[in-house]
């Protein structure tokens, strides 16, 4: 089958190890389902994998991708939950120390077919296209958990979203504003700031500027480049929710401000299968849909990876096998 995979790992030139070519069809163990992929999407995670973060040379070649929607063996339309927990794990899958994401231990979703444990597929409602559904399992699920589970965001709160153009950041903007929060964003690009306003943000700022007032919660996916601004923008008692550090680890950590203003720093990673189900319902009930930057055939995956690497995207890149 056609697949997009990591052939080698290159920390500096990640796309050097990327191949679009043939891989064997999945041979799943008992209890696993094969999903015929109708749409898959790219995430920054795929670039990290090509850089060797979370993926070791011994595991290569590895099919990339953590997001897919498609058809199960019975022809049902399904969305793939990409957090693979151990068979004996019960409860919140993201807390299983032995969990992995698709493409870390098991071949990923950027292919014509993907195998996952049967419990890792949930029904795709007809109201959602395959393209929109495939945006949800990673970036959108992560944003959902950051806002509502880990961040405790409720209507009327002011939430700062750093790096507005990214997949997670656009999801934070759309979901947060649909839930009645006041979303303020920063982005390096004027075009991305305008796009964020169109997606529901109330105000958009250049990175690092002094905000009109302090915010209740700051959402961090960027790390080093924006961390200090996030800490300094919080009200006393406010919360930073962090799920990533695209620009590197935060330095300095701003510990004095964190303890003196009694700030909370909360980590967040992916989401549970139940949260994915609630996210799907939320999208239908509130009639919100993921922002898509571009849709292209799986064969053109390299173009999508290039755009993601340049940081040249607003929303998600969808690949169609
Ligand atoms: N923990 C988890 O479960 C989880 C899940 C999903 C993602 N993540 C992590 O979250 C991060 C974002 O993921 P994504 O898929 O949304 O990535 P993405 O679509 O590539 O977006 C990255 C965004 O970060 C901003 N950015 C990058 N470098 C920057 C810099 N030097 N200065 C300022 N802003 C910068 C950009 O915003 P502007 O261009 O608008 O400024 C860009 O749009 C990644 O590190 C990813 O690994 C973690």
């Amino acid at each position: 089958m056609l697949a997009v995979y990591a052939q080698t790992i290159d920390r500096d030139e990640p796309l050097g190890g990327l191949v679009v070519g043939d891989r064997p069809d999945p041979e799943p163990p008992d209890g696993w389902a094969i999903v015929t992929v109708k749409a898959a999407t790219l995430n920054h995670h795929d670039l990290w994998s090509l850089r060797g973060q979370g993926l070791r040379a011994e595991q290569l070649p590895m099919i990339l991708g953590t997001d897919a929607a498609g058809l199960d063996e019975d022809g049902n339309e399904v969305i793939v939950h990409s957090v693979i927990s151990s068979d004996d794990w019960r409860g919140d899958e993201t807390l299983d120390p032995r969990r992995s994401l698709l493409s870390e231990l098991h071949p990923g979703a950027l292919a014509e077919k993907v195998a996952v444990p049967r419990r890792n597929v949930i029904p795709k409602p007809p109201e959602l296209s395959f393209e929109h559904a495939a945006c949800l399992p990673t970036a959108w699920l992560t944003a959902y958990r950051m806002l509502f589970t880990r961040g405790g965001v409720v209507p009327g709160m002011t939430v700062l979203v750093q790096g507005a153009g990214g997949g997670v950041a656009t999801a934070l903007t759309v979901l947060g504003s649909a839930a009645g929060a006041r979303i303020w964003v920063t982005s390096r690009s004027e075009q991305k700031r305008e796009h964020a306003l169109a997606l529901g943000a109330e105000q958009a700022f250049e990175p690092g500027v002094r905000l009109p007032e302090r915010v209740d919660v700051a959402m961090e996916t960027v790390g080093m480049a924006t961390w200090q601004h996030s800490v300094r923008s919080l009200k006393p008692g406010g919360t930073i929710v962090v799920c990533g550090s695209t620009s590197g680890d935060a330095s300095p950590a701003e510990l004095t401000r964190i303890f003196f203003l009694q700030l909370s720093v909360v980590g967040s990673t992916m989401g549970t299968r139940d949260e994915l189900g609630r996210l799907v319902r939320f999208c239908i009930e509130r009639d919100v849909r993921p922002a898509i930057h571009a849709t292209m055939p799986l064969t053109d995956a390299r173009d999508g990876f290039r755009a993601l690497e340049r940081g040249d995207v607003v929303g998600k890149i969808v690949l169609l096998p």
Side-chain angles (χ1 to χ4, degrees):
M1 65 173 180
L2 184 68
V4 177
Y5 59 96
Q7 177 72 51
T8 54
I9 281 167
D10 191 326
R11 220 158 279 282
D12 303 318
E13 304 271 342
L15 300 202
L18 182 73
V19 179
V20 182
D22 261 341
R23 295 296 304 148
D25 278 15
E27 283 178 19
D30 281 352
W32 285 49
I34 291 186
V35 174
T36 301
V37 177
K38 291 290 191 184
T41 78
L42 297 186
N43 288 284
H44 217 91
H45 182 271
D46 305 313
L47 280 173
W48 291 129
S49 301
L50 287 163
R51 290 197 165 99
Q53 196 112 356
L55 189 60
R56 294 189 311 277
E58 313 82 89
Q59 295 166 283
L60 302 177
M62 176 62 86
I63 300 177
L64 299 169
T66 57
D67 274 341
L71 301 174
D72 71 8
E73 297 103 323
D74 300 322
N76 300 308
E77 300 190 348
V78 294
I79 305 176
V80 170
H81 179 223
S82 148
V83 181
I84 315 285
S85 56
S86 334
D87 286 343
D88 56 355
W89 183 262
R90 297 292 174 268
D92 185 328
E93 299 92 348
T94 67
L95 298 178
D96 176 1
R98 288 184 291 152
R99 75 180 187 276
S100 68
L101 277 191
L102 272 181
S103 81
E104 291 177 348
L105 292 179
H106 308 287
L110 297 181
E112 290 176 286
K113 290 178 189 161
V114 62
V116 287
R118 217 164 274 287
R119 63 180 182 275
N120 280 67
V121 295
I122 69 164
K124 177 187 90 59
E127 295 93 326
L128 276 183
S129 67
F130 283 111
E131 288 87 338
H132 282 139
C135 296
L136 300 182
T138 303
W140 275 64
L141 179 59
T142 300
Y144 180 93
R145 184 174 174 93
M146 288 175 81
L147 283 163
F148 307 121
T149 309
R150 304 292 289 155
V153 170
V154 294
M157 277 186 172
T158 304
V159 179
L160 175 65
V161 177
Q162 302 279 14
V168 177
T170 50
L172 287 165
T173 300
V174 175
L175 292 173
S177 55
R182 183 165 69 156
I183 303 293
W184 291 356
V185 303
T186 70
S187 174
R188 297 166 297 174
S189 135
E190 189 181 347
Q191 182 219 341
K192 291 183 190 177
R193 292 196 293 273
E194 275 167 19
H195 199 266
L197 294 171
L199 289 178
E202 198 224 26
Q203 295 197 58
F205 304 92
E206 289 183 25
V209 303
R210 192 186 178 88
L211 301 178
E213 59 188 73
R214 295 195 194 284
V215 303
D216 298 290
V217 183
M219 294 293 174
E220 263 296 343
T221 62
V222 179
M224 191 192 294
T226 53
W227 182 261
Q228 192 172 49
H229 185 240
S230 290
V231 177
R232 292 184 174 200
S233 298
L234 282 182
K235 285 178 185 166
T239 303
I240 296 188
V241 187
V242 53
C243 85
S245 51
T246 307
S247 63
D249 207 341
S251 170
E254 298 280 338
L255 293 180
T256 306
R257 194 170 271 262
I258 288 173
F259 71 71
F260 193 67
L261 295 181
Q262 303 186 70
L263 307 178
S264 301
V265 176
V266 174
S268 194
T269 280
M270 295 295 288
T272 64
R273 176 198 148 96
D274 288 348
E275 284 168 327
L276 181 58
R278 290 201 289 273
L279 165 62
V280 169
R281 269 202 304 282
F282 184 87
C283 288
I284 306 253
E285 293 294 326
R286 289 297 163 104
D287 200 23
V288 297
R289 297 292 181 271
I292 291 180
H293 175 80
T295 303
M296 52 188 75
L298 193 64
T299 43
D300 293 349
R302 183 172 291 277
D303 295 340
F305 272 87
R306 272 201 209 101
L308 199 68
E309 194 190 19
R310 284 196 304 265
D312 205 9
V313 296
V314 184
K316 301 286 294 168
I317 295 175
V318 180
L319 299 177
L320 302 177

